[in-house]
Amino acid sequence: MEDYKEKILRICNETSKGTLMETLGMEYIDVGENYLVAKMPVTPKVHQPDGVLHGGATVALAESVGSAASFIFLDAKKYAIRGLEISANHVKSVREGEVFAKATMVHKGRTTQVWDIKVTDKDNNLVSICKLTTIALPKA
């Protein structure tokens, strides 16, 4: 299982090169039976003007990890994964360090999937809670 886990994480990180995920410093760090975890550094690059983590960067992290999880847990050779809707409640500010997003599958339908994504700080304090709905579109 450990070899399979490392392969999944390597593929997720390799496919992020040259994308928003790389720009924001996101890295996929853990995967399990129904979840995927990514981290993102909190630096001035992702701050809003008053020096705290920008909610938009947090949502970008959440959507990235949820979409990647859909890609992993569905047949990516048969389907293109797209986000349909994302919502977020930000409950704590972060000025520095790293944040971690764990996407856990709530619903795996034939065409739609629902993900619960918790964003936490290094001390496991809840920063944001997000819900992402993705759709699996058949590839032509």
Side-chain angles (χ1 to χ4, degrees):
M1 176 63 181
E2 196 62 31
D3 289 342
Y4 188 63
K5 178 178 171 177
E6 292 304 316
K7 181 179 179 182
I8 290 170
L9 294 173
R10 181 176 37 77
I11 290 168
C12 286
N13 286 311
E14 285 174 0
T15 58
S16 294
K17 293 190 185 318
T19 67
L20 177 68
M21 287 75 77
E22 182 179 51
T23 300
L24 298 182
M26 295 178 199
E27 179 184 359
Y28 297 96
I29 60 170
D30 193 18
V31 63
E33 190 174 313
N34 69 342
Y35 70 89
L36 178 64
V37 180
K39 68 178 181 176
M40 180 177 72
V42 180
T43 65
K45 187 182 344 185
V46 295
H47 281 170
Q48 55 188 11
D50 68 350
V52 298
L53 177 62
H54 193 290
T58 305
V59 172
L61 173 64
E63 184 159 1
S64 297
V65 73
S67 293
S70 282
F71 180 81
I72 291 167
F73 296 111
L74 298 171
D75 186 348
K77 291 179 181 172
K78 288 176 56 178
Y79 299 102
I81 308 301
R82 298 291 180 262
L84 283 179
E85 179 182 18
I86 189 163
S87 64
N89 292 95
H90 307 298
V91 297
K92 182 178 180 355
S93 296
V94 178
R95 292 187 176 278
E96 60 185 12
E98 294 177 320
V99 288
F100 302 85
K102 181 176 183 178
T104 305
M105 186 178 291
V106 175
H107 168 73
K108 181 181 179 182
R110 286 177 302 172
T111 54
T112 60
Q113 304 75 46
V114 179
W115 296 90
D116 174 66
I117 304 157
K118 301 248 184 345
V119 180
T120 58
D121 65 14
K122 66 178 176 55
D123 297 320
N124 207 32
N125 296 307
L126 185 64
V127 173
S128 297
I129 185 165
C130 305
K131 183 185 83 170
L132 172 66
T133 304
T134 58
I135 187 168
L137 301 169
K139 289 185 176 178

